[in-house]
Amino acid sequence: MILSTGLASIILVGGFLLLVFIRVPVAFSLGLAIVPIVMLDIRLTPFIILDRMFQSYNSFILLAVPFFLLAANLMNSGKITDKLIDLSRVLTGWMPGGLGHVNVAVSMLFAGISGSSTADAAGCGKILIPAMVKEGYDARFAIAITACSSVMGVIIPPSILMVVWGGVMQVSVGGLFLAGAVPGLMIGFALMATVYGYAKVYNYPTAGRPTLAGTWNAFRGAALAMLTPILVIGGIVGGIVTPTESAIIAAAYALILGVFVYRTVTLKDLGHIFYDTGRFASISLFAIGTASAFGWMLSFYNVPRLVVMFLTSLEFGSFGTAIIIAALFLFFGLFIDAIPTIIILGTVLMPAAAAADIHPLVFAIIGIVSLAFGLVTPPYGLCLLISAAIGGMNVMKVIPDVIIILLPMLLILLLIILFPEIALFLPKTLMPDSFG
Amino acid sequence: MIGHALETLCRGLRLLIGILMAALAVPVGMQVISRYTDIIPVYLWTEELATFIFVWIVMIGSMVAVWERTHFDVHVMPDATTPFWTMVQNGTVMALILMFGLLFAWFGIEYAQFGYIQNSVMMRANLLVTYISVPIAGLVWTLFASYRLYEVVDHYRQEKVATS
């Protein structure tokens, strides 16, 4: 038989949601939801689906993902994170709520180097959550601010999600990196304002004023690590290296720092780091295959075209469409990992965004920022799960603080939608030929 | 006995992931070095080799994650409160992965055969090298999920005996 678009969509989306609900892993749910369609529709064969899935791994740009993760893991093992914390302490620790600001600032620095939010939550959380609790901060606040600040990892360049977005949607990764910089910094400052508010209400202490010698040592200690964003972002934006090449340069640089400069990474550690990186990367990337097959299936049944027609008929204009896009990414980000969501929802909504005159870079930043918030919202908030595990607390107890901290971050998302120039300013300025 | 054998298999796979991850750095690193220095010539096969290794890392990682039960899942549905429903809840997940594994292994054989009749563009390597990862992944998921399913049922049986 030949399935209609409506029936196919119901089976695909309904089947997927049901499977996720009964706790089948997301990657397998995407694959299993396809099975009945392939069995029913005579135009489809398992071979087509397998090929669609397998070919999605045949992407050189995706190789950047394990290398950015490797760089992050090397930084955490090589005590580079500690150096960044020392630097953040002298930069922001003197303000009321000092360690809260340090937590946000180190996430901004870490984000500029690694591109992984989960590595940020794990690396910084291990040090800062116990330190904050020890200094009298409420554990719930310490966990919530660690989780929420770690989302900047995928917004401030370099970003693994931007690499995947660029690869899947054929958008310049350099342009995406530049477009994410200002929104990422705005989220960072919004978080610091929230920390300040908390400090005033709960009378949280400062982390002390730094001495001149301490400041000098902190800058000297972190200087080599802070060269990474220049190498990575400068290299890509300047058209010198590809995203994959920049990722391996970042990893090689972190390796040199850890093994030869700081001498904190041993050969034995390296084995573990390689394994951990490969394992975590493969779990994230495996979903790309099943998500690609699922996304292809939606395209096969013309779902993206129907979405465009539906959204156009509503006549919401750019602003309304952007709000709907953000809401959809926020909603799906609650339940699904960001990478498969980009592949499925991103490709479905891309024509709708284009029809509403939303610039591809602005569409990407709205999607990525919305998905980043999904990293701290249950039931599938990886960064929140990691931070709560470090703080030894049930996720549900932290939710009220997460909501309070997320509100100003949502305001930034709204500002990006209202004023797209926030995202477009840097690409237009630094890459005028491509984005003029 | 079977559990021990499968754990040993998984240990081997973990070791392989670490080795492949380190190996992946070689062709990509060579590409960077050859592009920006004159130390080595530009080898076009490096990109192809890198994607071959990458495919294997993804597939082996997916196998290990089935054994370790670390594939991302979402806990919307509350935990079952009785041993029977716990068995149903966990068993259903493993049974579905098992089914997917069987389909992957079965149809993957035809896919691997398709790879066997092709060669890569640069290295002229037979594409069976990577296409074979599809049925192998299906087979290993099936093995791992079958044993985990057995464990779930066995755990329920033992709990039932203990309470009766």
Side-chain angles (χ1 to χ4, degrees):
Chain A
M1 68 188 282
I2 292 176
L3 290 182
S4 66
T5 300
L7 184 59
S9 304
I10 290 167
I11 295 174
L12 276 172
V13 179
F16 169 66
L17 292 176
L18 176 70
L19 289 162
V20 167
F21 180 74
I22 63 169
R23 298 192 181 180
V24 175
V26 172
F28 285 94
S29 298
L30 289 163
L32 282 162
I34 295 169
V35 173
I37 304 275
V38 179
M39 285 166 66
L40 289 171
D41 199 316
I42 54 164
R43 296 168 297 174
L44 297 166
T45 64
F47 184 92
I48 297 172
I49 305 304
L50 275 180
D51 195 49
R52 200 67 222 173
M53 183 178 166
F54 195 71
Q55 295 310 328
S56 66
Y57 301 128
N58 243 334
S59 157
F60 192 69
I61 201 167
L62 283 182
L63 283 168
V65 175
F67 285 116
F68 275 130
L69 274 174
L70 180 62
N73 286 341
L74 282 164
M75 280 168 55
N76 282 338
S77 301
K79 307 287 179 202
I80 298 170
T81 310
D82 299 33
K83 311 262 178 212
L84 297 178
I85 290 175
D86 290 344
L87 177 62
S88 305
R89 192 183 275 268
V90 302
L91 287 173
T92 61
W94 49 272
M95 290 189 272
L99 278 185
H101 292 293
V102 172
N103 204 324
V104 177
V106 77
S107 290
M108 289 164 90
L109 297 177
F110 197 97
I113 298 174
S114 88
S116 162
S117 288
T118 45
D120 179 346
C124 303
K126 253 184 263 177
I127 302 164
L128 286 170
I129 293 173
M132 286 177 77
V133 173
K134 198 176 160 191
E135 286 203 19
Y137 289 80
D138 188 329
R140 286 169 299 187
F141 171 66
I143 293 166
I145 196 69
T146 303
C148 290
S149 61
S150 69
V151 306
M152 287 185 289
V154 292
I155 302 170
I156 293 178
S159 153
I160 285 172
L161 293 191
M162 288 178 190
V163 169
V164 174
W165 191 291
V168 172
M169 246 99 58
Q170 306 296 312
V171 181
S172 155
V173 175
L176 286 172
F177 279 4
L178 287 175
V182 176
L185 291 174
M186 285 172 70
I187 288 173
F189 293 127
L191 281 167
M192 290 178 97
T194 313
V195 171
Y196 187 82
Y198 261 90
K200 286 290 167 196
V201 173
Y202 296 102
N203 207 19
Y204 286 146
T206 71
R209 281 197 175 275
T211 60
L212 204 62
T215 307
W216 167 246
N217 284 338
F219 269 97
R220 204 180 52 173
L224 287 172
M226 291 312 299
L227 275 179
T228 317
I230 299 167
L231 285 172
V232 173
I233 302 159
I236 295 175
V237 173
I240 305 164
V241 289
T242 65
T244 309
E245 288 171 348
S246 77
I248 197 165
I249 288 170
Y253 187 63
L255 182 73
I256 291 166
L257 289 184
V259 175
F260 300 109
V261 180
Y262 302 133
R263 295 183 185 178
T264 43
V265 177
T266 63
L267 265 181
K268 199 180 163 194
D269 296 333
L270 268 184
H272 285 292
I273 293 168
F274 278 125
Y275 164 66
D276 274 343
T277 305
R279 192 182 68 98
F280 189 75
S282 61
I283 292 173
S284 302
L285 293 169
F286 172 63
I288 286 185
T290 46
S292 296
F294 191 93
W296 179 83
M297 198 73 100
L298 290 176
S299 302
F300 181 79
Y301 286 103
N302 283 324
V303 175
R305 195 170 56 85
L306 290 176
V307 172
V308 174
M309 279 166 60
F310 174 69
L311 287 178
T312 312
S313 70
L314 293 175
E315 293 182 0
F316 277 158
S318 291
F319 176 73
T321 309
I323 291 283
I324 291 173
I325 286 170
L328 284 169
F329 274 113
L330 281 167
F331 178 74
F332 279 87
L334 293 175
F335 303 101
I336 317 175
D337 190 26
I339 292 179
T341 314
I342 287 173
I343 294 167
I344 297 166
L345 200 60
T347 46
V348 166
L349 293 177
M350 190 168 62
D357 271 341
I358 299 170
H359 194 284
L361 286 181
V362 178
F363 169 56
I365 296 304
I366 291 171
I368 287 166
V369 171
S370 306
L371 286 174
F373 294 167
L375 291 167
V376 291
T377 46
Y380 190 76
L382 265 188
C383 292
L384 183 61
L385 290 172
I386 291 168
S387 304
I390 293 169
M393 192 171 272
N394 185 305
V395 167
M396 295 318 286
K397 287 187 179 169
V398 192
I399 295 302
D401 288 276
V402 169
I403 292 170
I404 293 169
I405 298 170
L406 268 181
L407 284 175
M409 295 164 78
L410 281 168
L411 185 71
I412 303 293
L413 176 61
L414 187 65
L415 284 175
I416 298 166
I417 293 170
L418 273 170
F419 307 105
E421 283 302 310
I422 292 172
L424 292 175
F425 169 71
L426 275 184
K428 275 184 178 173
T429 311
L430 297 176
M431 297 173 89
D433 295 339
S434 311
F435 301 97
Chain B
M1 171 81 175
I2 296 172
H4 199 73
L6 292 177
E7 176 54 44
T8 308
L9 170 63
C10 190
R11 211 174 296 154
L13 293 174
R14 288 188 195 116
L15 184 69
L16 210 51
I17 291 178
I19 293 169
L20 286 174
M21 190 61 218
L24 184 62
V26 176
V28 184
M30 279 176 73
Q31 235 183 7
V32 177
I33 294 168
S34 63
R35 258 183 66 175
Y36 302 108
T37 69
D38 294 324
I39 299 169
I40 51 170
V42 177
Y43 294 115
L44 295 173
W45 51 264
T46 48
E47 188 169 324
E48 217 167 61
L49 180 61
T51 47
F52 284 6
I53 297 171
F54 180 67
V55 166
W56 273 105
I57 290 175
V58 173
M59 287 304 191
I60 295 172
S62 75
M63 300 175 207
V64 172
V66 170
W67 182 249
E68 294 177 345
R69 283 174 281 201
T70 45
H71 275 293
F72 300 141
D73 56 10
V74 181
H75 287 209
V76 182
M77 188 169 67
D79 284 326
T81 48
T82 65
F84 175 75
W85 284 110
T86 304
M87 179 189 71
V88 171
Q89 195 173 45
N90 297 335
T92 307
V93 172
M94 281 305 151
L96 285 165
I97 294 176
L98 194 160
M99 189 189 93
F100 192 68
L102 278 174
L103 290 170
F104 223 74
W106 179 255
F107 292 108
I109 293 169
E110 186 196 348
Y111 194 64
Q113 286 168 340
F114 176 64
Y116 182 65
I117 56 168
Q118 297 177 82
N119 286 327
S120 68
V121 181
M122 295 301 167
M123 291 164 67
R124 308 302 306 158
N126 190 293
L127 285 183
L128 184 69
V129 174
T130 52
Y131 281 50
I132 194 80
S133 66
V134 174
I136 288 176
L139 186 68
V140 177
W141 296 339
T142 306
L143 278 176
F144 286 168
S146 302
Y147 188 75
R148 291 298 183 210
L149 179 60
Y150 160 77
E151 276 185 332
V152 168
V153 177
D154 192 49
H155 182 72
Y156 168 67
R157 270 201 213 125
Q158 283 177 10
E159 276 203 341
K160 206 175 160 189
V161 169
T163 50
S164 63

